[in-house]
Amino acid sequence: IPEAITNYRMALKLKSDFPDAYCNLVHCLQIICDYSDYDTRMHKLCHIVADQLEKNRLPSVHPHHSMLYPLTHEQRKAIAARHGNLCIDRVALLHKRPFSY
């Protein structure tokens, strides 16, 4: 995890507007219980997710990570739906029928 944190910070120095790197950095810091600047990080992460959802983009936060952040239930469901649709699209590329459940 420390190496990942170092790499995400370097990526953000090279490209400050890199949502995937920022959200992964936040997740790594959460894993090691680093709560310095927690409120600032959560505010920025929530803003990134809201912006991505509004622009119909795939959110940088994974569905199972969304429970760790102060997101609304609607945002969590939208994150899960977008990631689920990505999986459906990837299966379609294999020319296989979607799994029926």
Side-chain angles (χ1 to χ4, degrees):
I1 300 276
E3 187 177 344
I5 290 169
T6 300
N7 290 331
Y8 288 131
R9 285 187 169 142
M10 179 61 70
L12 290 165
K13 282 182 184 177
L14 297 172
K15 183 180 177 190
S16 60
D17 184 23
F18 190 176
D20 287 349
Y22 186 79
C23 292
N24 287 331
L25 172 63
V26 168
H27 185 70
C28 287
L29 293 171
Q30 190 96 343
I31 288 170
I32 65 167
C33 301
D34 179 342
Y35 298 112
S36 58
D37 297 324
Y38 176 83
D39 291 335
T40 303
R41 286 197 311 256
M42 289 303 116
H43 178 76
K44 184 172 179 177
L45 183 134
C46 289
H47 176 74
I48 288 170
V49 169
D51 185 59
Q52 290 173 328
L53 290 173
E54 182 180 314
K55 293 178 179 174
N56 205 28
R57 293 184 180 154
L58 182 70
S60 296
V61 171
H62 292 267
H64 53 284
H65 293 173
S66 70
M67 300 304 290
L68 299 172
Y69 310 122
L71 300 167
T72 66
H73 295 303
E74 290 76 23
Q75 288 173 317
R76 290 185 183 113
K77 288 191 291 187
I79 290 168
R82 299 269 166 77
H83 282 271
N85 287 335
L86 175 65
C87 293
I88 290 170
D89 292 344
R90 287 183 178 170
V91 167
L93 290 174
L94 299 173
H95 305 291
K96 300 197 184 269
R97 295 172 37 94
F99 181 72
S100 182
Y101 55 94

